[in-house]
PDB file of all heavy atoms in Angstrom:
ATOM      1  N   ALA A  10       0.631  -3.349   5.211  1.00 92.00           N
ATOM      2  CA  ALA A  10      -0.274  -2.972   6.295  1.00 92.00           C
ATOM      3  C   ALA A  10      -0.849  -1.575   6.046  1.00 92.00           C
ATOM      4  O   ALA A  10      -2.052  -1.345   6.247  1.00 92.00           O
ATOM      5  CB  ALA A  10       0.455  -3.022   7.632  1.00 92.00           C
ATOM      6  N   CYS A  11      -0.010  -0.649   5.624  1.00 91.00           N
ATOM      7  CA  CYS A  11      -0.487   0.713   5.324  1.00 91.00           C
ATOM      8  C   CYS A  11      -1.484   0.704   4.172  1.00 91.00           C
ATOM      9  O   CYS A  11      -2.483   1.427   4.202  1.00 91.00           O
ATOM     10  CB  CYS A  11       0.690   1.621   5.003  1.00 91.00           C
ATOM     11  SG  CYS A  11       1.701   2.013   6.436  1.00 91.00           S
ATOM     12  N   THR A  12      -1.230  -0.115   3.170  1.00 91.00           N
ATOM     13  CA  THR A  12      -2.162  -0.228   2.047  1.00 91.00           C
ATOM     14  C   THR A  12      -3.503  -0.772   2.523  1.00 91.00           C
ATOM     15  O   THR A  12      -4.560  -0.256   2.152  1.00 91.00           O
ATOM     16  CB  THR A  12      -1.581  -1.146   0.959  1.00 91.00           C
ATOM     17  OG1 THR A  12      -0.308  -0.654   0.569  1.00 91.00           O
ATOM     18  CG2 THR A  12      -2.489  -1.230  -0.245  1.00 91.00           C
ATOM     19  N   ALA A  13      -3.470  -1.800   3.358  1.00 92.00           N
ATOM     20  CA  ALA A  13      -4.710  -2.398   3.872  1.00 92.00           C
ATOM     21  C   ALA A  13      -5.486  -1.399   4.730  1.00 92.00           C
ATOM     22  O   ALA A  13      -6.718  -1.309   4.628  1.00 92.00           O
ATOM     23  CB  ALA A  13      -4.390  -3.646   4.678  1.00 92.00           C
ATOM     24  N   ILE A  14      -4.788  -0.632   5.551  1.00 92.00           N
ATOM     25  CA  ILE A  14      -5.457   0.359   6.397  1.00 92.00           C
ATOM     26  C   ILE A  14      -6.094   1.450   5.539  1.00 92.00           C
ATOM     27  O   ILE A  14      -7.236   1.862   5.793  1.00 92.00           O
ATOM     28  CB  ILE A  14      -4.458   0.953   7.406  1.00 92.00           C
ATOM     29  CG1 ILE A  14      -4.075  -0.110   8.438  1.00 92.00           C
ATOM     30  CG2 ILE A  14      -5.033   2.182   8.098  1.00 92.00           C
ATOM     31  CD1 ILE A  14      -2.890   0.263   9.293  1.00 92.00           C
ATOM     32  N   CYS A  15      -5.395   1.902   4.516  1.00 90.00           N
ATOM     33  CA  CYS A  15      -5.952   2.933   3.625  1.00 90.00           C
ATOM     34  C   CYS A  15      -7.180   2.413   2.891  1.00 90.00           C
ATOM     35  O   CYS A  15      -8.176   3.135   2.751  1.00 90.00           O
ATOM     36  CB  CYS A  15      -4.899   3.396   2.628  1.00 90.00           C
ATOM     37  SG  CYS A  15      -3.618   4.428   3.354  1.00 90.00           S
ATOM     38  N   ILE A  16      -7.128   1.183   2.427  1.00 91.00           N
ATOM     39  CA  ILE A  16      -8.286   0.598   1.739  1.00 91.00           C
ATOM     40  C   ILE A  16      -9.464   0.470   2.693  1.00 91.00           C
ATOM     41  O   ILE A  16     -10.605   0.761   2.336  1.00 91.00           O
ATOM     42  CB  ILE A  16      -7.914  -0.762   1.108  1.00 91.00           C
ATOM     43  CG1 ILE A  16      -6.961  -0.543  -0.058  1.00 91.00           C
ATOM     44  CG2 ILE A  16      -9.153  -1.520   0.656  1.00 91.00           C
ATOM     45  CD1 ILE A  16      -6.359  -1.819  -0.609  1.00 91.00           C
ATOM     46  N   TYR A  17      -9.194   0.068   3.939  1.00 92.00           N
ATOM     47  CA  TYR A  17     -10.253  -0.054   4.942  1.00 92.00           C
ATOM     48  C   TYR A  17     -10.945   1.289   5.176  1.00 92.00           C
ATOM     49  O   TYR A  17     -12.178   1.380   5.159  1.00 92.00           O
ATOM     50  CB  TYR A  17      -9.678  -0.593   6.254  1.00 92.00           C
ATOM     51  CG  TYR A  17     -10.665  -0.539   7.391  1.00 92.00           C
ATOM     52  CD1 TYR A  17     -11.703  -1.462   7.474  1.00 92.00           C
ATOM     53  CD2 TYR A  17     -10.572   0.446   8.363  1.00 92.00           C
ATOM     54  CE1 TYR A  17     -12.621  -1.401   8.514  1.00 92.00           C
ATOM     55  CE2 TYR A  17     -11.479   0.512   9.397  1.00 92.00           C
ATOM     56  CZ  TYR A  17     -12.498  -0.418   9.471  1.00 92.00           C
ATOM     57  OH  TYR A  17     -13.406  -0.350  10.491  1.00 92.00           O
ATOM     58  N   PHE A  18     -10.149   2.345   5.394  1.00 89.00           N
ATOM     59  CA  PHE A  18     -10.737   3.659   5.624  1.00 89.00           C
ATOM     60  C   PHE A  18     -11.437   4.187   4.381  1.00 89.00           C
ATOM     61  O   PHE A  18     -12.441   4.886   4.481  1.00 89.00           O
ATOM     62  CB  PHE A  18      -9.694   4.659   6.109  1.00 89.00           C
ATOM     63  CG  PHE A  18      -9.408   4.541   7.576  1.00 89.00           C
ATOM     64  CD1 PHE A  18      -8.164   4.146   8.016  1.00 89.00           C
ATOM     65  CD2 PHE A  18     -10.384   4.811   8.511  1.00 89.00           C
ATOM     66  CE1 PHE A  18      -7.892   4.028   9.367  1.00 89.00           C
ATOM     67  CE2 PHE A  18     -10.129   4.702   9.868  1.00 89.00           C
ATOM     68  CZ  PHE A  18      -8.879   4.306  10.301  1.00 89.00           C
ATOM     69  N   LEU A  19     -10.924   3.871   3.224  1.00 89.00           N
ATOM     70  CA  LEU A  19     -11.570   4.298   1.987  1.00 89.00           C
ATOM     71  C   LEU A  19     -12.947   3.665   1.846  1.00 89.00           C
ATOM     72  O   LEU A  19     -13.899   4.302   1.394  1.00 89.00           O
ATOM     73  CB  LEU A  19     -10.687   3.924   0.796  1.00 89.00           C
ATOM     74  CG  LEU A  19     -11.047   4.514  -0.550  1.00 89.00           C
ATOM     75  CD1 LEU A  19     -10.978   6.028  -0.493  1.00 89.00           C
ATOM     76  CD2 LEU A  19     -10.104   3.990  -1.605  1.00 89.00           C
ATOM     77  N   ILE A  20     -13.073   2.423   2.270  1.00 90.00           N
ATOM     78  CA  ILE A  20     -14.358   1.726   2.205  1.00 90.00           C
ATOM     79  C   ILE A  20     -15.309   2.230   3.291  1.00 90.00           C
ATOM     80  O   ILE A  20     -16.506   2.420   3.046  1.00 90.00           O
ATOM     81  CB  ILE A  20     -14.141   0.196   2.338  1.00 90.00           C
ATOM     82  CG1 ILE A  20     -13.438  -0.331   1.089  1.00 90.00           C
ATOM     83  CG2 ILE A  20     -15.460  -0.531   2.558  1.00 90.00           C
ATOM     84  CD1 ILE A  20     -12.965  -1.760   1.215  1.00 90.00           C
ATOM     85  N   GLU A  21     -14.788   2.465   4.492  1.00 90.00           N
ATOM     86  CA  GLU A  21     -15.637   2.813   5.630  1.00 90.00           C
ATOM     87  C   GLU A  21     -16.067   4.282   5.681  1.00 90.00           C
ATOM     88  O   GLU A  21     -17.096   4.586   6.254  1.00 90.00           O
ATOM     89  CB  GLU A  21     -14.923   2.460   6.944  1.00 90.00           C
ATOM     90  CG  GLU A  21     -14.776   0.975   7.162  1.00 90.00           C
ATOM     91  CD  GLU A  21     -16.119   0.276   7.291  1.00 90.00           C
ATOM     92  OE1 GLU A  21     -17.026   0.802   7.957  1.00 90.00           O
ATOM     93  OE2 GLU A  21     -16.258  -0.807   6.713  1.00 90.00           O
ATOM     94  N   LEU A  22     -15.281   5.197   5.112  1.00 87.00           N
ATOM     95  CA  LEU A  22     -15.638   6.612   5.180  1.00 87.00           C
ATOM     96  C   LEU A  22     -16.816   6.907   4.257  1.00 87.00           C
ATOM     97  O   LEU A  22     -16.895   6.384   3.152  1.00 87.00           O
ATOM     98  CB  LEU A  22     -14.451   7.489   4.768  1.00 87.00           C
ATOM     99  CG  LEU A  22     -13.325   7.621   5.766  1.00 87.00           C
ATOM    100  CD1 LEU A  22     -12.184   8.422   5.152  1.00 87.00           C
ATOM    101  CD2 LEU A  22     -13.795   8.300   7.034  1.00 87.00           C
ATOM    102  N   PRO A  23     -17.724   7.754   4.716  1.00 89.00           N
ATOM    103  CA  PRO A  23     -18.830   8.145   3.829  1.00 89.00           C
ATOM    104  C   PRO A  23     -18.302   8.987   2.664  1.00 89.00           C
ATOM    105  O   PRO A  23     -17.238   9.595   2.736  1.00 89.00           O
ATOM    106  CB  PRO A  23     -19.751   8.970   4.733  1.00 89.00           C
ATOM    107  CG  PRO A  23     -18.956   9.329   5.923  1.00 89.00           C
ATOM    108  CD  PRO A  23     -17.843   8.351   6.035  1.00 89.00           C
ATOM    109  N   SER A  24     -19.054   9.026   1.594  1.00 84.00           N
ATOM    110  CA  SER A  24     -18.587   9.693   0.383  1.00 84.00           C
ATOM    111  C   SER A  24     -18.471  11.214   0.534  1.00 84.00           C
ATOM    112  O   SER A  24     -17.759  11.856  -0.225  1.00 84.00           O
ATOM    113  CB  SER A  24     -19.505   9.363  -0.787  1.00 84.00           C
ATOM    114  OG  SER A  24     -20.806   9.832  -0.514  1.00 84.00           O
ATOM    115  N   ASP A  25     -19.133  11.801   1.519  1.00 88.00           N
ATOM    116  CA  ASP A  25     -19.051  13.254   1.699  1.00 88.00           C
ATOM    117  C   ASP A  25     -18.005  13.665   2.741  1.00 88.00           C
ATOM    118  O   ASP A  25     -17.891  14.845   3.070  1.00 88.00           O
ATOM    119  CB  ASP A  25     -20.417  13.824   2.074  1.00 88.00           C
ATOM    120  CG  ASP A  25     -20.953  13.245   3.378  1.00 88.00           C
ATOM    121  OD1 ASP A  25     -20.420  12.212   3.846  1.00 88.00           O
ATOM    122  OD2 ASP A  25     -21.902  13.822   3.927  1.00 88.00           O
TER     123      ASP A  25
END
Side-chain angles (χ1 to χ4, degrees):
C11 289
T12 304
I14 291 168
C15 287
I16 291 171
Y17 171 76
F18 279 115
L19 192 61
I20 291 170
E21 291 297 318
L22 286 175
S24 62
D25 61 345

